[in-house]
Amino acid sequence: MIKVENLHKSFGKNEVLKGISTEIKEKEVIAIIGPSGSGKSTFLRCINLLEEPTSGIITIGKDVVTDKRTNIMKVRENVGMVFQHFYLFPHKTVLENLTYAPMNVQGVSKKQAIEIADELLHKVGLYEKRGEYPNRLSGGQKQRVAIARALAMNPSVMLFDEPTSALDPEMVKEVLEVMKTLAHSGMTMVIVTHEMNFAREVADRILFLDGGQLVEDTPPAQFFTEPKSARAKEFLEKVL
Amino acid sequence: MLDFQAVVPSIPYILKGIGVTLQIVIGATILGMVLGILLALCKIGKIKVLRLIADFYTSIFRGTPLVLQLMIIYYAIPQLFDINIDPMPAAILAFGLNSGAYISEIIRGGINAVDKGQQEASLALGIPYAKMMKDIILPQAMKNIMPSLMNEFITLNKESAIVTVIGALDIMRRAYVVGGSNYHYLEALMVAGVIYYIMTLILTFLGKKLEKRMSRSD
C-alpha cells in the first residue's frame, strides 16, 4: 500500500535520510524506532510530503506522491496524521475540529459530518467534551481528539509522529489504548514512537532507523530479543 | 477669560461632527482591513513580485506624512483625472490606504505568530490554502492582534482630525468654525477635545469587550 524507494532528504548540507527503501502492506502496523536525530520523524513526514524528499519515489496506493503531477492535497485526504503536539484548532470546539475538514475538503453535509464526528468521539471516549474548546482538555484528551479528527476523513493510512512524547506519563496509556483499538480494527498505521512496550505489543514490524539509514526491519519478537545489528543492540540496551 | 456660555448654543453643531468623524473612521477601517489582509497575504506569500509590491506600498505610506497623502488625494487627483472628489470620500480613501499599510504589518506579525503546526495540521488534512488562511490561520491571528488593531482604530479616530485641512465638516472643523465665528477658539476647541476623549474612552471600552469575547476559547 505504501512503497518507499531510495528516499533521500537533506536540509541544506545535512543529509537526514540516506536512501531508505521499504514497503508497507495494507493493515500492517509499523513502528519506527531509533535514537533521536536518526530521521524517524523526517521519514514519516516525507510520506505525506510535509517534507519534500530530495530524491526517491514514494507511492501510496496508486498515487506516486513524489510525482509533481500528483495532486498531493487529494492524497493527504487519504492519509491521516497525528502530531506530537496535537495541533488542534484552538478556536474551534472539539466537534468543529472533527467536522471542519470533512465538510470543507470532502464536501460532506453538516448533518453527516456531525454523525461521523459523534461516532468517533464515542470511540475515543470524549463524546461529552464535544462542545469544549481544546484548551479546556488535558493532553491525553487533546491527542485522542486529534486522532478522531484525522479519522473523520476516513483515511486508509494513519501516520503518528511521536503521539505520546508530549504527554504527562499518566496520560500516555489512554492514547495508546485508542491506538491499539485502531490497530485491531485493521487500520494501516505507521508510528514513530519511543514506547517500546507498545511497539512490541502492537506492531507487526519494527523499522529501526539510525543515522538516516534503515538499519533493521524485523518483527518485534525478534527485534526486542535478538536484534541483528550491533547498533540496534546498543540502542535497546540504553532504552530498555 | 474662558466663557463657555458663548459656545453652548453651538455645541449641537459641533456634536453633529461625530457622525462625520465616525463615517470617515469606519469607512477607512473597513477599507484598511481589506487592504491590510490582502497586503499581508502578499507579504507572506510565495510570489516574489507581489511581495515586493506590498513591501513598497507599505514603505511609501508609512514613510510620508498622512496629511500629505490626504492633500494629494484631494487636490492632485482631480487635477490628474479631471474629476471632482468630495472631502468625505477623499478622507476615507486617504485614511483607508494609509491604515492599510499599518494594518498589513500588524496582520503579518499576527499570522507569523500562529503556531506553524496549525498549517501542518491543515495541510495534513488536505485543507486548501485559501480555506486554511480564512478559517484556520486568520481567525487565530486576529485574536492575537486584536489589541493592536483596536489601537490602530483609536489612533485613526483621533488622527482623523486632520481632514479639517480639506474642509470635511468633522468635529475638529466644526469647532474651528464655531471658534472663528465668535472668537472663542479655546472654548470651542476644548469642547472638541472632550468629545474626542470620550470617543476614545468608549472605543477602548468596546475594544476590551471584544477582546474578551474573542478569547472565549482560552
Side-chain angles (χ1 to χ4, degrees):
Chain A
M1 134 137 258
I2 300 176
K3 199 172 171 192
V4 179
E5 295 163 80
N6 202 17
L7 176 65
H8 285 262
K9 172 68 186 176
S10 302
F11 292 102
K13 280 187 184 146
N14 182 20
E15 191 171 33
V16 181
L17 298 177
K18 300 170 181 166
I20 292 185
S21 301
T22 189
E23 212 166 318
I24 296 161
K25 290 199 261 318
E26 207 179 318
K27 299 196 175 183
E28 242 184 337
V29 176
I30 306 289
I32 303 177
I33 286 174
S36 53
S38 58
K40 308 178 297 278
S41 286
T42 306
F43 172 75
L44 191 76
R45 291 161 58 84
C46 279
I47 294 177
N48 66 350
L49 246 57
L50 281 187
E51 300 291 353
E52 200 166 328
T54 310
S55 69
I57 301 169
I58 299 170
T59 317
I60 301 178
K62 288 192 184 78
D63 300 307
V64 182
V65 293
T66 42
D67 188 334
K68 287 267 181 291
R69 287 164 298 182
T70 305
N71 182 354
I72 185 63
M73 297 310 267
K74 272 271 166 253
V75 176
R76 284 178 180 145
E77 286 178 37
N78 202 26
V79 181
M81 186 155 191
V82 174
F83 300 87
Q84 181 179 354
H85 296 287
F86 335 121
Y87 300 146
L88 293 176
F89 304 135
H91 59 302
K92 294 190 179 293
T93 63
V94 166
L95 183 68
E96 288 164 353
N97 263 277
L98 266 66
T99 56
Y100 179 81
M103 282 166 60
N104 286 280
V105 179
Q106 295 176 323
V108 172
S109 73
K110 186 172 181 181
K111 186 166 164 280
Q112 205 186 344
I114 291 175
E115 266 171 37
I116 296 168
D118 283 347
E119 194 191 323
L120 285 167
L121 286 173
H122 275 300
K123 268 190 191 156
V124 299
L126 289 170
Y127 179 75
E128 67 283 7
K129 300 283 185 191
R130 68 203 284 273
E132 294 278 13
Y133 285 97
N135 288 352
R136 303 286 297 264
L137 305 179
S138 71
Q141 291 171 333
K142 282 183 196 170
Q143 197 59 300
R144 284 187 281 156
V145 172
I147 293 172
R149 177 178 68 175
L151 289 174
M153 294 293 279
N154 194 23
S156 51
V157 192
M158 286 283 284
L159 310 177
F160 294 84
D161 191 2
E162 302 197 23
T164 58
S165 297
L167 298 178
D168 292 333
E170 73 271 21
M171 291 168 184
V172 170
K173 203 178 151 203
E174 61 187 61
V175 172
L176 293 181
E177 284 301 324
V178 167
M179 290 170 63
K180 213 181 283 181
T181 312
L182 189 60
H184 291 321
S185 77
M187 175 64 77
T188 311
M189 294 162 74
V190 187
I191 308 160
V192 172
T193 186
H194 293 291
E195 296 291 331
M196 297 303 151
N197 289 326
F198 175 76
R200 189 191 333 229
E201 204 181 320
V202 178
D204 298 310
R205 272 160 60 204
I206 307 283
L207 303 188
F208 176 70
L209 262 63
D210 191 16
Q213 286 164 326
L214 179 54
V215 178
E216 210 160 318
D217 177 354
T218 40
Q222 187 187 346
F223 180 80
F224 287 103
T225 50
E226 38 182 342
K228 285 180 276 186
S229 64
R231 280 196 272 181
K233 255 179 218 151
E234 200 186 315
F235 174 74
L236 286 173
E237 270 164 25
K238 277 186 201 153
V239 298
L240 289 182
Chain B
M1 270 285 102
L2 281 180
D3 178 13
F4 282 100
Q5 288 301 324
V7 294
V8 165
S10 304
I11 287 179
Y13 174 74
I14 299 177
L15 283 174
K16 271 190 199 144
I18 294 177
V20 178
T21 295
L22 280 180
Q23 266 181 51
I24 294 171
V25 172
I26 290 167
T29 303
I30 293 168
L31 179 61
M33 276 300 288
V34 173
L35 203 58
I37 290 174
L38 289 177
L39 286 169
L41 289 176
C42 290
K43 285 177 191 177
I44 60 158
K46 289 201 172 74
I47 305 165
K48 201 172 173 193
V49 183
L50 291 179
R51 219 162 53 213
L52 286 174
I53 292 173
D55 281 339
F56 182 65
Y57 178 96
T58 305
S59 101
I60 290 287
F61 275 89
R62 293 207 303 180
T64 57
L66 176 53
V67 67
L68 174 85
Q69 296 158 20
L70 180 65
M71 289 178 84
I72 285 181
I73 287 172
Y74 185 63
Y75 293 111
I77 283 182
Q79 176 195 334
L80 213 58
F81 298 108
D82 199 30
I83 47 158
N84 254 322
I85 184 163
D86 287 331
M88 282 296 281
I92 290 172
L93 198 59
F95 283 104
L97 294 177
N98 180 275
S99 86
Y102 285 91
I103 290 177
S104 75
E105 279 300 294
I106 296 174
I107 293 177
R108 190 179 61 94
I111 291 174
N112 284 337
V114 174
D115 192 332
K116 289 283 165 287
Q118 292 293 313
Q119 186 164 353
E120 292 199 340
S122 307
L123 288 177
L125 285 164
I127 300 170
Y129 185 82
K131 281 194 176 172
M132 170 182 84
M133 274 299 161
K134 178 169 78 72
D135 297 333
I136 308 295
I137 307 293
L138 279 177
Q140 294 182 56
M142 284 301 164
K143 203 178 98 187
N144 296 339
I145 64 184
M146 215 45 223
S148 314
L149 274 184
M150 272 321 288
N151 219 4
E152 170 67 18
F153 191 54
I154 289 165
T155 305
L156 197 60
N157 187 58
K158 288 180 297 177
E159 295 305 312
S160 71
I162 66 163
V163 298
T164 186
V165 301
I166 60 168
L169 281 172
D170 70 328
I171 302 165
M172 183 67 197
R173 181 85 200 168
R174 285 166 190 261
Y176 185 70
V177 169
V178 169
S181 69
N182 57 16
Y183 298 104
H184 285 281
Y185 280 109
L186 184 55
E187 294 86 341
L189 291 174
M190 281 176 80
V191 168
V194 170
I195 296 174
Y196 279 114
Y197 184 59
I198 291 174
M199 283 173 86
T200 300
L201 289 184
I202 292 173
L203 285 177
T204 309
F205 173 76
L206 290 177
K208 288 252 158 64
K209 279 219 129 168
L210 195 62
E211 264 172 59
K212 232 183 181 162
R213 259 196 75 135
M214 289 186 81
S215 59
R216 263 181 322 174
S217 56
D218 285 341

